[in-house]
């Protein structure tokens, strides 16, 4: 009720949450202070608008400190990549400086970026990589949706109601350009390379050491892209209702976490694949996962998952020479340390000079 007191509290909270990430208070400019305040919200971090609404509906109204710092690390390395491309392009190139990062990267060598997310259990590490991942892939997911709808139209519909059905099922933004649901600043405004016309190969891969963790991540991801889960038959979905969801529809999550799933392989046209190191070789050999087309690779509980992955699979997965698109790789875990991150850089899993570490208290190169 006291707005002056609320402002002081907000500013103090912003300073404390930003401790270790920015300059000390004595050196603050008004721009620094404003940035500290902005980063307290999903919107200020640059989350895609559709995902922001979904997070609110799922009762994640504000980011935790580790989510803030992980997102800021992503924003920083994407901005650095953007600046690199401007410098590399030079004054003689006709490309407009207002081009999106996606457009600039179409004619550039794919960027390789890495983030280590280290934090205790319960700090919010899963959303710390899922939210920036979905934001940076937002335009690609909308594009893949439009391609699938176009393919369905080409097949024709014997019932004659295809347009009506598509209008009901499709996000409002897909009926237009979709860009109003992509941008807003930060990671949401930038994407990870041109979308292309391929809707068969996954654009993101999450590797976990156990089936249980894979299922947990898949369920959260399913909810973020519009799905509903209920803890009881009588529970009402409320704001989580799938018909209130405005993001890309039909995002396909494919899991290979046990022998039965492995025998079946990935479902057709998977967007995001989740697997364990045990089945990674088979997925790559059978071309269910094409490492050259991945925009995001996540190793959750990375110390265990990396230990279980064969050197040959790691080489295939992180080979820089055959990559078609820019990529962000995440190493995540409660027991993932800065020394493990340095080892990953040395082993060329994370790129040297373009990798950050994010914890509950800071983010830094």
């Amino acid at each position: 009720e006291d707005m002056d007191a609320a402002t002081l509290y907000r500013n103090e909270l912003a300073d404390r949450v930003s401790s270790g990430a920015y300059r000390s208070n004595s050196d603050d400019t008004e721009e620094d202070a404003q940035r500290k305040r902005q980063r307290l919200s999903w919107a200020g971090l640059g989350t895609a608008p559709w995902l922001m609404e979904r997070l609110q509906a799922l009762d994640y109204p504000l980011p935790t400190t580790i989510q803030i710092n992980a997102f800021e690390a992503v924003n920083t390395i994407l901005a650095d990549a953007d600046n690199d491309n401007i410098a590399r392009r030079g004054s003689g190139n006709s490309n407009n400086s207002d081009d999106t990062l996606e457009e600039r990267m179409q004619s550039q060598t794919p960027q390789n970026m890495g983030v280590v997310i280290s934090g205790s259990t319960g700090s919010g590490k899963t959303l710390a990589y899922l939210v920036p991942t979905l934001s940076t892939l937002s335009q690609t997911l909308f594009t893949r949706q439009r391609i699938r709808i176009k393919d369905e139209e080409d097949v024709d519909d014997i019932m004659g109601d295809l347009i009506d059905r598509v209008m009901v099922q499709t996000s409002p933004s897909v009926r237009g350009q979709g860009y109003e649901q992509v941008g807003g600043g930060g990671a949401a405004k930038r994407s990870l390379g041109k979308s292309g016309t391929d809707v068969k190969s996954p654009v993101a891969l999450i590797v976990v050491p156990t089936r249980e963790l894979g299922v947990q991540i898949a369920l959260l991801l399913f909810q973020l892209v519009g799905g509903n889960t209920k803890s009881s038959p009588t529970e009402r979905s409320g704001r989580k209702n799938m018909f209130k969801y405005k993001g890309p529809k039909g995002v396909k999550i494919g899991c290979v976490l046990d022998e039965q799933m492995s025998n079946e392989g990935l479902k057709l046209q998977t967007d995001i694949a989740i697997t364990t190191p045990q089945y990674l070789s088979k997925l790559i050999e059978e071309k269910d996962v094409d490492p050259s087309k991945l925009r995001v690779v996540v190793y959750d509980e990375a110390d265990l998952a990396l230990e279980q992955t064969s050197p040959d699979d790691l080489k295939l997965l992180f080979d820089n020479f055959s990559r078609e698109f820019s990529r962000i790789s995440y190493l995540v875990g409660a027991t993932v340390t800065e020394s493990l991150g340095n080892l990953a850089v040395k082993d060329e899993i994370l790129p040297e000079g373009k990798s950050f570490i994010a914890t509950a208290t800071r983010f830094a190169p």
Side-chain angles (χ1 to χ4, degrees), residues 216-236:
Q216 180 183 322
I217 293 168
L219 286 172
L220 178 56
L221 189 51
F222 174 67
Q223 291 181 80
L224 290 174
V225 295
N228 284 342
T229 61
K230 291 186 176 184
S231 55
S232 71
T234 57
E235 182 185 346
R236 293 184 177 273

Side-chain angles (χ1 to χ4, degrees), residues 85 88-89 93 95 102-110 194:
N85 279 332
R88 204 180 288 130
R89 191 172 64 227
N93 194 300
N95 287 351
E102 178 166 22
E103 291 165 334
R104 289 172 184 166
M105 285 185 171
Q106 287 189 23
S107 59
Q108 304 292 348
T109 303
K194 58 186 178 181

Side-chain angles (χ1 to χ4, degrees), residues 101-358:
L101 186 65
E102 178 166 22
E103 291 165 334
R104 289 172 184 166
M105 285 185 171
Q106 287 189 23
S107 59
Q108 304 292 348
T109 303
Q111 298 278 348
N112 188 19
M113 300 157 275
V115 180
V116 173
I117 300 176
S118 177
S120 60
T121 302
S123 58
K125 296 187 296 297
T126 306
L127 282 181
Y129 64 80
L130 285 183
V131 176
T133 289
L134 290 174
S135 292
T136 51
L137 293 177
S138 183
Q139 187 173 326
T140 293
L141 294 174
F142 275 116
T143 300
R144 287 164 77 101
Q145 180 189 345
R146 285 196 293 271
I147 292 170
R148 286 168 179 151
I149 290 170
K150 176 66 167 59
D151 289 344
E152 190 176 355
E153 284 178 332
D154 290 343
V155 170
D156 202 5
D157 192 280
I158 58 173
M159 301 300 293
D161 67 343
L162 175 68
I163 298 301
D164 291 339
R165 181 157 53 83
V166 168
M167 290 293 279
V168 169
Q169 291 181 346
T170 306
S171 313
S173 57
V174 174
R175 298 200 286 271
Q177 290 298 313
Y179 288 99
E180 67 272 21
Q181 285 296 327
V182 174
K189 195 172 182 180
R190 301 177 172 95
S191 59
L192 297 174
K194 58 186 178 181
S195 299
T197 58
D198 171 38
V199 295
K200 297 177 182 178
S201 302
V203 290
L205 172 68
I206 302 173
V207 182
V208 294
T210 65
R211 180 184 186 278
E212 290 72 24
L213 180 58
V215 170
Q216 180 183 322
I217 293 168
L219 286 172
L220 178 56
L221 189 51
F222 174 67
Q223 291 181 80
L224 290 174
V225 295
N228 284 342
T229 61
K230 291 186 176 184
S231 55
S232 71
T234 57
E235 182 185 346
R236 293 184 177 273
S237 56
R239 290 188 305 163
K240 294 184 280 188
N241 189 305
M242 61 181 289
F243 296 107
K244 296 181 179 179
Y245 168 74
K246 297 179 181 178
K249 300 287 180 68
V251 176
K252 298 180 185 297
I253 304 162
C255 295
V256 174
L257 300 167
D258 57 32
E259 285 298 331
Q260 181 180 344
M261 292 176 177
S262 177
N263 291 334
E264 295 171 357
L266 279 183
K267 67 167 81 171
L268 190 64
Q269 298 188 355
T270 293
D271 295 310
I272 301 172
I274 304 174
T275 191
T276 65
Q278 181 181 354
Y279 304 109
L280 182 58
S281 291
K282 184 179 179 185
L283 288 175
I284 295 175
E285 286 170 8
E286 297 182 355
K287 302 194 182 307
D288 278 345
V289 170
D290 183 347
S292 70
K293 298 184 186 301
L294 291 170
R295 323 288 177 85
V296 176
V297 173
V298 180
Y299 263 74
D300 205 334
E301 298 301 338
D303 49 347
L304 290 174
L306 285 172
E307 192 177 284
Q308 295 172 13
T309 306
S310 73
D312 289 343
D313 288 343
L314 286 175
K315 185 171 182 0
L316 284 171
L317 202 53
F318 293 101
D319 180 14
N320 293 325
F321 299 104
S322 61
R323 191 170 302 157
E324 292 184 30
F325 301 101
S326 291
R327 180 194 288 182
I328 298 180
S329 300
Y330 294 90
L331 301 186
V332 186
T335 51
V336 172
T337 61
E338 192 162 352
S339 59
L340 178 67
N342 289 328
L343 190 62
V345 170
K346 183 180 176 184
D347 290 343
E348 299 182 346
I349 292 170
L350 298 182
E352 188 173 2
K354 291 188 179 178
S355 294
F356 272 64
I357 183 164

